[in-house]
Amino acid sequence: MVIARIINGAIQIIYKNKKNIHLATGLKANNELTESSIMRGVECLALFAERLNGFPPEHVRVIATHTLRVAKNRHKFLMAAAKVFPFPIEIISGQEEARLIYLGTMTGESTSSTDTKFVIDIGGGSTEIAIGKGNDLNPLIVASRPMGCVTYTKQFFGEKKIDVASFQQAKLAAEQQIESIINTIKKMNITVAFGTSGTIKSIYHILLDIGVNDGIITPKRLDDLISYVLEFKSFHDIDYPSLSNERKNVFISGLAIFSGVFNALGIEALQFSPYALRDGVFYELIDGPNYQDIRQNTAQSLSEHYNIDQRHAKQVVKTTKYFFSQWQQQVSMTIPPSLESMLYWAAQLHEVGLKINFSSIHKHSSYILQNSNLPGFNEEQQLLLSTLVRYHRKSINIDELPYFSLFEYKHIISLMQILRLSILINNQRNPEIDLQTFQLKLLENKLTKITLEVNKEFVKNNKLILLDLAQEQKYWEMIDDWKLSIAIY
């Protein structure tokens, strides 16, 4: 946990607290977290909660990475954490993690505007790679691979013994993990390379220990270091002043992963950077509007990539804003602006699957949104976007809605209803539609019971809309406590 304040536009760290709970060691073979590992994580969060007491939620950002990404029972962890920790925990994708690592490194390091920059971060359960060019803080390539110093220790060095054969197996496994992107990365012609976090920090400090003054990692220095380390028989025999006993438990596997990637990509020199994921998170937390822009840019790029009808998409977004405003005026609760934005992005992107076919567009669009790399979106935000689009038409199976820890169920349902109605009344793709023709009203002050009033003059010239609304009523009737009434005035 890091706490900082802004002084004249610069980040000033005022508090740090680090607890190594090694959550990844608690992953069983079936990718479920053990009770003891969940307890360790929750106890740590409870401790951090004491220090964060009184902080506004918008000033706190909590990021979870690989272990919670893959844990099948992560909801158990999140529910236990929510009892002692009052801030939402965002689980981010590996690609989003790589983007934030790159952002953090590039905001901290000084590079040339002509450089092609490479960043690697070896974590406990995954390794992230990002490559960018010039002064752009958004990388061109992001990749995440399921190889980490904790998981590779369990896989290749279970008894914590050091031998050449095990090291070579781990190194080869790492090379295989990046095999599909080696040629792509080499073509980028990297001019400057950085490594961040524990493993590479340890390599850097050991090089300093043995007399390498600048700590820069080169092929020869790395080979020499590996030769030295392989002379030890077990993890705890490793004897370098800068290597803590805790780091010894995972250093060999991290070194094997780094060596595999370093050699496979033909990197000539790499320097350690103290700036990484947390710095990228800080940058976006402090520069909030920029964080919104990233997601807006993502939505726009996706819209252009799939040749979405921009005029129609804008009309649907305009309609959702109109209906949401009417809805908001009638309810006592407030939906967070960040969640409201998800509604508008869903409206903008609901037709990304149209290139596949129309009859199952909601399913195709949902699949694309769920499985694309969406910079700026955490995993739950991406899942929510996919879910809203999945149920923007046809029948809805409420029991199939995924579990969300960051969003309230009642909010999701209301956004879904608003989106469905907004898309439906634009079925005829008429850009001249007068939205004042429609009035959305809550029936009996029930969030899920809506009356849609439609001007009779509009109906007279658009009779198909009554058929569409009648079908929509049938879909709503299939769901408990949902009701759509139509009134012509």
Side-chain angles (χ1 to χ4, degrees):
M1 178 174 64
V2 181
I3 300 175
R5 62 179 179 176
I6 308 305
I7 304 295
N8 296 324
I11 298 175
Q12 183 183 79
I13 305 293
I14 60 173
Y15 180 82
K16 278 186 182 180
N17 194 321
K18 182 176 181 179
K19 299 292 181 184
N20 287 319
I21 59 172
H22 296 302
L23 202 60
T25 62
L27 272 179
K28 296 184 287 188
N30 63 352
N31 274 351
E32 286 196 351
L33 283 169
T34 61
E35 291 291 338
S36 59
S37 64
I38 291 175
M39 187 178 299
R40 289 199 306 273
V42 172
E43 287 175 351
C44 177
L45 289 174
L47 186 67
F48 287 174
E50 293 179 11
R51 182 64 181 82
L52 294 173
N53 184 36
F55 273 62
E58 63 271 18
H59 289 184
V60 180
R61 194 168 180 206
V62 187
I63 298 296
T65 55
H66 177 265
T67 301
L68 285 188
R69 275 201 295 271
V70 301
K72 292 180 180 178
N73 61 339
R74 64 184 183 180
H75 303 319
K76 190 173 184 179
F77 177 93
L78 293 172
M79 287 189 287
K83 295 177 180 178
V84 299
F85 191 73
F87 303 99
I89 298 173
E90 299 180 48
I91 302 173
I92 59 174
S93 68
Q95 292 166 315
E96 178 66 1
E97 184 179 355
R99 184 188 71 82
L100 286 168
I101 290 167
Y102 183 87
L103 175 63
T105 304
M106 289 306 110
T107 53
E109 297 291 348
S110 176
T111 58
S112 166
S113 61
T114 59
D115 277 329
T116 299
K117 296 165 281 194
F118 171 91
V119 178
I120 180 172
D121 186 304
I122 300 170
S126 65
T127 292
E128 278 64 50
I129 292 171
I131 302 167
K133 284 191 174 185
N135 296 323
D136 191 350
L137 294 177
N138 290 311
L140 298 173
I141 295 175
V142 289
S144 178
R145 294 294 184 265
M147 51 183 185
C149 55
V150 173
T151 52
Y152 266 40
T153 295
K154 291 166 67 176
Q155 186 175 348
F156 297 102
F157 305 95
E159 297 182 0
K160 298 186 178 181
K161 301 294 183 182
I162 300 175
D163 64 85
V164 175
S166 297
F167 187 88
Q168 291 299 329
Q169 284 181 334
K171 179 181 175 182
L172 180 60
E175 290 181 19
Q176 289 175 323
Q177 284 288 347
I178 64 163
E179 186 177 17
S180 63
I181 58 174
I182 289 175
N183 289 334
T184 302
I185 292 177
K186 283 185 173 180
K187 288 177 183 177
M188 298 287 289
N189 296 319
I190 296 164
T191 58
V192 60
F194 297 98
T196 69
S197 300
T199 291
I200 297 166
K201 181 179 180 180
S202 296
I203 295 172
Y204 164 76
H205 282 297
I206 291 174
L207 288 176
L208 296 180
D209 288 343
I210 61 179
V212 178
N213 293 330
D214 58 15
I216 293 175
I217 304 170
T218 65
K220 184 180 185 309
R221 289 173 177 177
L222 181 60
D223 288 342
D224 288 345
L225 175 59
I226 291 170
S227 296
Y228 298 151
V229 170
L230 290 180
E231 291 179 3
F232 296 105
K233 299 302 180 184
S234 71
F235 286 10
H236 292 289
D237 290 337
I238 304 173
D239 188 20
Y240 292 109
S242 62
L243 196 65
S244 68
N245 288 330
E246 192 166 30
R247 178 53 60 175
K248 288 179 183 179
N249 289 322
V250 293
F251 176 68
I252 295 299
S253 57
L255 180 63
I257 292 169
F258 178 73
S259 175
V261 175
F262 190 88
N263 292 338
L265 297 179
I267 298 172
E268 296 178 359
L270 181 142
Q271 52 191 300
F272 167 68
S273 172
Y275 308 103
L277 176 63
R278 74 172 184 216
D279 303 281
V281 172
F282 258 134
Y283 183 85
E284 289 195 332
L285 182 61
I286 290 162
D287 193 15
N290 184 56
Y291 178 57
Q292 294 293 328
D293 287 344
I294 289 170
R295 292 185 293 177
Q296 185 57 55
N297 290 342
T298 295
Q300 187 59 37
S301 296
L302 203 63
S303 176
E304 293 170 359
H305 179 75
Y306 285 98
N307 298 318
I308 286 176
D309 182 341
Q310 298 290 335
R311 188 173 67 173
H312 176 63
K314 288 178 180 178
Q315 181 62 27
V316 175
V317 171
K318 181 180 177 181
T319 307
T320 57
K321 289 182 177 180
Y322 174 74
F323 280 154
F324 181 83
S325 175
Q326 291 188 338
W327 177 88
Q328 185 69 83
Q329 291 172 15
Q330 300 174 67
V331 297
S332 56
M333 67 181 183
T334 301
I335 285 186
S338 59
L339 183 55
E340 182 183 345
S341 297
M342 299 299 295
L343 170 64
Y344 305 142
W345 286 318
Q348 180 181 355
L349 298 171
H350 74 279
E351 287 192 335
V352 293
L354 187 57
K355 290 179 73 172
I356 301 174
N357 69 42
F358 176 74
S359 63
S360 296
I361 182 176
H362 51 305
K363 296 179 181 178
H364 299 317
S365 295
S366 176
Y367 180 85
I368 289 170
L369 292 173
Q370 181 58 40
N371 292 281
S372 296
N373 174 30
L374 302 185
F377 290 83
N378 64 45
E379 279 203 349
E380 276 212 8
Q381 289 170 337
Q382 188 164 351
L383 179 59
L384 176 59
L385 190 63
S386 171
T387 301
L388 289 174
V389 169
R390 169 65 178 82
Y391 295 110
H392 82 257
R393 64 194 291 265
K394 302 284 187 177
S395 60
I396 304 170
N397 187 341
I398 290 295
D399 294 334
E400 290 183 357
L401 288 183
Y403 168 81
F404 292 96
S405 64
L406 299 179
F407 311 112
E408 291 189 50
Y409 178 81
K410 61 183 179 181
H411 290 170
I412 294 171
I413 293 301
S414 292
L415 296 188
M416 189 181 296
Q417 291 182 333
I418 291 170
L419 181 65
R420 289 178 69 93
L421 293 176
S422 300
I423 293 172
L424 183 147
I425 69 168
N426 284 285
N427 274 349
Q428 297 183 44
R429 309 178 92 85
N430 179 8
E432 307 301 327
I433 190 171
D434 180 8
L435 293 180
Q436 299 299 322
T437 296
F438 303 92
Q439 301 296 321
L440 185 149
K441 296 182 178 179
L442 295 183
L443 186 64
E444 303 169 1
N445 293 320
K446 297 281 188 179
L447 287 176
T448 56
K449 296 184 178 182
I450 289 175
T451 294
L452 187 65
E453 296 182 351
V454 189
N455 183 278
K456 61 183 178 181
E457 292 302 319
F458 177 84
V459 172
K460 190 182 299 182
N461 298 313
N462 298 271
K463 294 179 180 177
L464 278 177
I465 197 168
L466 288 184
L467 294 176
D468 291 339
L469 287 170
Q471 179 58 59
E472 183 69 5
Q473 284 179 304
K474 293 177 182 177
Y475 290 137
W476 288 42
E477 287 171 1
M478 298 166 61
I479 306 170
D480 289 342
D481 211 34
W482 280 40
K483 184 176 182 180
L484 175 62
S485 300
I486 309 299
I488 309 300
Y489 68 96

